[in-house]
Each structure stands twice: as C-alpha cells, then as structure tokens.
Amino acid sequence: MQPLSLLFILFVGVLLGIYYLVGRTSARDRQWVALLVGSLAYYLWCGWQNIVFLLFTSFSTWFVALRLATLERQCKEACSALSRKERKPVRQAFQRRKWLELLAALVLNFGVLGYLKYWNVLLDYVGLGSSFLASHLLLPLGISFYTFTSLGYLIDVYNGKVEPETSYPRYLLFVSWFPQLVQGPINRWAEMRDQLLPPHDWDLERTRRALLLVGYGMLKKFVMADTLASLISTCLDKIDFSTPGIAIIVGIVCYSLQQYGDFSGGIDIVEGVSELFGVHMAPNFRQPYFATSLADFWRRWHMSLGEWMRTYVFYPLAMRPSMMNLNKWGTQHLGKTIGRTLSACIANVVVFVLVGLWHGAEAHYLLWGLYNGLVIAFSDMCRPLFERGKASLHIREDSAAWRRWSIVRTFILVNIGRYFDRINDPGTIALAFKNTFTNLQPMSLVSWVTVVNRTNHNKLGPICAAIACIIVLMVDIRLERGEDVSGQFLALPLLTRVATYGILGAIIMLSLSIATTGGGFLYANF
C-alpha cells in the first residue's frame, strides 16, 4: 500500500472519519485506540507475515524498559537502609544488571536487523549467496526505522531521561504509527507520547496546512524525483571508458536532486498525513542544499537519524574516559588543535561508517561513510588553518559572497559523495572519477545521451523536473529566511489558489504518465 495510492487515500480517509467520530463520543479518551488499530491494519495489509518482527521488537524493548525501572526501584529500596559506604557496591551491582539487560536487548534487536539486512550480502562476499545458508526472509517494512525508534526509547529509559510506559498497547502505537513506517522519521517517545495519546478535535486550519504539505511532497516526489530516473540511469548505469565525464556529472547532480525530491517529498507526504490526525512528527529536513559545510549539510538532511546517531553513538563514544585521555595524548604529541578534536574526529568517522552500514552492507556504502566522516574530520582538524587563511585574505564570514561560495563548495562535496552512493561497484566508481577529471567532453553530452537512450521516450521528464526544481528552490529560499510559506500561500485569494492547484495538479498527473519508476521510495529500501 504505497503512500498516495488510491487504496492508501481510501484507508486514510476511513481512519480519519473513525478517529474524529470516536472523539465526539464518550470513548473520547480512548481515541488513540483507533490509531493503533489503523496502524496495525496498515502493517498487516503491507505484509502480514512480517508483523512478528514488529511485535518482537516492540514487546522486547517495552518489557526490558519495565525491567530497568524495576531494577532501579529495587536498588533504591535496597540502599535506603544502608550507610553511604555500603550503598556503593549495591548500586554498582544493580547498575551492572541494568547494563547487561540493556545490552541483551540491543544485541538481540540489532542482531535481527543485521541478519535480515546483511546476512545474504555477507554470504555473497564469500561465494555462498546461493547456498542453503542464505536467508529467504523478506525485509520487513520499515524495520530500520522502528528498530532505531524502539532502541532509542530503551536507551532513554536506561539513562533516566523518560519514564517507561506501563501500557504495551500505548507503546505499540508509538512504534507502529503507520506514517513513519515507510520513510521515517525516527521519532522520540518524549515528543510523540503527548501527541499520540491525548484526544484531538478536527481543526480546519491544521487540515489545510497538512493537505498543502502532502501536495508539496507529491510535487517533489513525482515531478522532481521520478521524472529524473530515466536520465540518471542513462548516465550512470553502464559507465565504461567511453562515457564522457560531463554525462557522469549530469547524472550525479540529477541523482542529488532525485534523492532530495524522493526523500524529502516522501517525508512531507507522511508528515502531512500524520498532521491530519493532529500528530506532529520529528522534522527531517531543513533546506539541506543551503548548507555551508558538509557537517552543516548532515545536520539538515535526515535530521532524525543524525540526532539519533549524535545522541546514542557520537557523544557516548567521544566523551568516554579513554577518548578524553586520547585527546590529552594528542595535545601533548600532536598539538593543541588536533588534541582538541581527536576524539570528535574518530567518533565522526565511526558514526558515518555506521550510517553507511545502515544504508547497506555493500562496499560502496562503506566507502560513502568513510568519505563523509573523513572530510568532516579533516575540516575540524584544519579549522584554525582555514581561519588564518580567511583572515589573511580579509574574507568576512558574514558576507553574502562567502556564504554563496560556501553553499556551492558544500554542494560539490556532497555530489562527490554521491559517486559512492549511486554507483555500486568500487571499480566503476574509480572509473567514473577518472572519466570526470580526464575525459570531460562537455560538447558531447546531448549526442551521447541520444545514442545511448535510443528510445528517447522521456523528453518531457527533465522539463517537468526543472519546473519542480525551480518551485522547490523558491520555497526553500523563503523557508531559509524563516518565512511561513504555507501561511502565505493559504492567505492568497481563493481563485489564485485554485488556479495554482490546477496547474500543479496537471504537472503531477503528467509526470505520473511519463515517469519510468514504480512510485516507490528510495529510502524504503534502507
């Protein structure tokens, strides 16, 4: 049941009717049950065989969270009658038990995720991909997203940041909330609890904004992303020594636009659907192509995954006593600058390797993670050098010219990383870079694309994509300025809005007829 299929629209419409109808009855306080039933029905419809994995992850993390709270309560009771000196070993014993139970839940759930996502890939590497050892289980819908969501909740309970939920059905709604299953975002219990569980009344203004967000997501997904698929495949799927570098560059840039349109458009769609029920999910994008550094880009792109990695991987790793000692060693032997950033640089590389693995176990994803982590680490270590260079050249960081250059430079760095993301074979990646720098042939692009793509059936695709890109750029500029673009549009005269809806709707319908993809989301594969 793909988002925005006719079946999905019918499903959301029926669930909305039931949800707000229940809100007008004496069962108003149980309104959230309609969301739980609807979410489980959606998941069952998309693949009932895989519901066992969702239930396993949700129940194991809910149960262990309650166990952690029980151990904490038992520790306090045991220490209440003891002296300060006697309390320390008791607390340490209970803390060890809590840590072991948390570790068991982490290993178990990440083990299931790892087996389903990576086992067959690892077998392929050693030539056993077709052996009896291969798994025949399909990857359950949204398993990466609901696993990270559940384990984030469990770690928060362990660290005392949130109280465990005693009701399993309430917690199951948080894990299985259907808009987040396909694309994310990775939500946090502390933010979602007070939105999913309390009753909601239908609100016209919220509905108008939500539907506008869904429509904007459709424009990004169907017009900006899907219509570029054919051109990208033509440029990047069969790279050889004769492929001109300009074709590879065009393919990579178009892939960057496709990624943004597909992922952010999908997020807009599911966040808009969630808003229809009065539930605001975690933000996942903040104009990433206006970033002024690669680190800034990753604070704006897939924000919920970045926040998860910072909270549960980066800071715990970078702040470990051993890493602090490494900083001291670096300061003494390598200088103050390297010593100050050494632990953060190592943690950054580890985080991006893990993010690469999150995308998949193939070698090109690991190379992608290493590239991003090493570039950010190098930038951190060399920051004082860069600062001295700007000072000597009298460059003002707050100048418009410097900001524009920083945006262009960051876009180039991001697109270099796309080589590792889009091209699957490391040897082909090396060849693509070689052709980019030694076989550019800028004048041969049109003739090369025409020869390779002999059917030439998608002439309107790039035109539709260009229109969508211009619209998205105009919206992102205003959002970057802090403007309420939705409010401004909804305040326009009715006739203007109807005409805009009609024109954009026609473009979306046209794009659906010429796109060569099946309408699925790229990040649904992760």
Side-chain angles (χ1 to χ4, degrees):
M1 194 193 300
Q2 286 288 351
L4 292 184
S5 64
L6 291 177
L7 186 60
F8 180 81
I9 294 172
L10 179 62
F11 166 79
V12 172
V14 171
L15 184 57
L16 277 170
I18 295 172
Y19 181 67
Y20 286 115
L21 183 61
V22 172
R24 298 171 66 90
T25 68
S26 58
R28 176 179 172 82
D29 290 339
R30 296 284 181 179
Q31 198 180 20
W32 62 270
V33 176
L35 299 184
L36 175 60
V37 173
S39 295
L40 293 178
Y42 175 83
Y43 199 80
L44 287 167
W45 184 275
C46 293
W48 63 268
Q49 302 94 333
N50 298 319
I51 191 71
V52 64
F53 293 104
L54 175 68
L55 295 177
F56 171 79
T57 296
S58 60
F59 184 81
S60 63
T61 51
W62 171 78
F63 178 76
V64 172
L66 291 180
R67 282 284 305 154
L68 296 177
T70 300
L71 288 172
E72 183 65 24
R73 185 173 62 254
Q74 291 174 349
C75 177
K76 290 179 180 179
E77 292 172 355
C79 291
S80 61
L82 301 177
S83 65
R84 179 177 299 179
K85 185 177 180 180
E86 293 171 326
R87 290 174 188 167
K88 185 175 180 179
V90 174
R91 284 176 175 163
Q92 289 177 339
F94 274 100
Q95 187 63 27
R96 191 178 303 111
R97 288 179 61 186
K98 287 175 62 180
W99 163 243
L100 290 175
E101 296 205 15
L102 172 67
L103 182 62
L106 293 175
V107 169
L108 203 58
N109 283 280
F110 277 131
V112 170
L113 176 63
Y115 175 74
L116 293 172
K117 286 190 72 169
Y118 309 123
W119 179 247
N120 284 352
V121 177
L122 295 176
L123 288 180
D124 285 337
Y125 279 133
V126 297
L128 297 174
S130 58
S131 70
F132 71 94
L133 295 172
S135 171
H136 299 286
L137 295 172
L138 296 176
L139 192 67
L141 175 70
I143 186 171
S144 292
F145 294 109
Y146 69 67
T147 298
F148 276 52
T149 295
S150 301
L151 294 179
Y153 159 81
L154 184 59
I155 297 171
D156 283 346
V157 171
Y158 174 81
N159 290 327
K161 293 182 179 180
V162 297
E163 291 294 322
E165 173 56 55
T166 57
S167 167
Y168 176 64
R170 289 171 181 259
Y171 175 70
L172 180 59
L173 171 59
F174 163 66
V175 176
S176 65
W177 177 228
F178 77 94
Q180 73 189 4
L181 284 176
V182 178
Q183 289 277 98
I186 301 170
N187 290 301
R188 306 283 287 272
W189 172 248
E191 285 78 28
M192 293 291 287
R193 171 187 53 206
D194 295 332
Q195 298 191 72
L196 286 169
L197 300 179
H200 292 92
D201 294 317
W202 181 75
D203 181 88
L204 176 60
E205 180 64 19
R206 184 180 68 226
T207 301
R208 294 172 73 208
R209 285 178 175 267
L211 291 176
L212 183 61
L213 185 59
V214 171
Y216 186 50
M218 292 172 64
L219 177 77
K220 288 181 182 178
K221 164 61 180 168
F222 299 126
V223 186
M224 181 176 173
D226 286 0
T227 55
L228 286 173
S230 178
L231 178 60
I232 295 167
S233 295
T234 299
C235 293
L236 301 178
D237 280 355
K238 296 180 180 179
I239 296 174
D240 57 28
F241 288 98
S242 66
T243 307
I246 188 64
I248 297 172
I249 292 173
V250 168
I252 289 295
V253 172
C254 287
Y255 179 65
S256 282
L257 299 176
Q258 182 196 34
Q259 279 267 349
Y260 181 53
D262 186 280
F263 192 22
S264 72
I267 288 294
D268 288 345
I269 291 169
V270 297
E271 287 193 340
V273 170
S274 187
E275 291 279 0
L276 290 173
F277 297 89
V279 179
H280 180 67
M281 298 194 293
N284 228 23
F285 282 90
R286 186 169 56 83
Q287 299 81 252
Y289 288 138
F290 283 103
T292 55
S293 68
L294 194 58
D296 184 31
F297 175 83
W298 289 113
R299 286 190 291 267
R300 292 165 172 258
W301 180 286
H302 207 339
M303 295 163 63
S304 62
L305 177 62
E307 180 62 26
W308 198 98
M309 286 290 177
R310 280 191 296 273
T311 302
Y312 304 118
V313 179
F314 177 84
Y315 288 117
L317 178 59
M319 301 305 292
R320 288 181 63 84
S322 58
M323 297 294 274
M324 294 296 98
N325 291 334
L326 182 62
N327 277 358
K328 293 177 182 178
W329 178 89
T331 301
Q332 294 172 358
H333 295 85
L334 303 174
K336 184 183 295 184
T337 299
I338 294 179
R340 177 180 57 84
T341 60
L342 194 55
S343 64
C345 290
I346 293 173
N348 256 322
V349 173
V350 170
V351 163
F352 276 99
V353 168
L354 292 176
V355 172
L357 283 172
W358 180 81
H359 286 78
E362 291 82 1
H364 69 102
Y365 286 129
L366 294 178
L367 292 173
W368 174 87
L370 281 172
Y371 166 79
N372 283 278
L374 291 173
V375 169
I376 293 174
F378 176 80
S379 177
D380 285 345
M381 285 187 173
C382 295
R383 183 170 297 160
L385 180 63
F386 296 150
E387 296 296 331
R388 286 196 294 269
K390 284 185 286 187
S392 64
L393 295 173
H394 306 288
I395 296 173
R396 290 176 47 201
E397 283 198 12
D398 59 348
S399 67
W402 178 254
R403 175 172 173 78
R404 293 191 191 102
W405 157 246
S406 299
I407 291 172
V408 172
R409 176 196 62 196
T410 302
F411 187 72
I412 293 171
L413 289 173
V414 169
N415 278 276
I416 292 173
R418 300 294 191 199
Y419 280 72
F420 304 105
D421 182 7
R422 177 57 174 78
I423 304 171
N424 297 336
D425 178 64
T428 308
I429 293 171
L431 179 60
F433 276 118
K434 179 178 181 297
N435 287 7
T436 298
F437 291 105
T438 65
N439 186 32
L440 191 61
Q441 301 183 48
M443 303 304 294
S444 67
L445 176 63
V446 175
S447 60
W448 181 86
V449 170
T450 302
V451 170
V452 173
N453 190 16
R454 291 186 183 277
T455 56
N456 206 24
H457 61 280
N458 197 16
K459 295 178 181 178
L460 291 176
I463 297 175
C464 289
I467 294 172
C469 287
I470 292 171
I471 295 172
V472 171
L473 176 62
M474 293 170 61
V475 171
D476 276 2
I477 289 173
R478 301 173 81 91
L479 289 174
E480 189 72 5
R481 293 172 179 167
E483 298 181 26
D484 179 11
V485 180
S486 295
Q488 292 171 354
F489 179 80
L490 292 173
L492 292 174
L494 177 61
L495 188 60
T496 303
R497 283 184 281 126
V498 170
T500 304
Y501 292 141
I503 294 170
L504 295 182
I507 295 173
I508 291 172
M509 295 303 295
L510 175 63
S511 69
L512 288 172
S513 68
I514 64 177
T516 57
T517 65
F521 293 96
L522 295 175
Y523 268 70
N525 300 319
F526 304 141

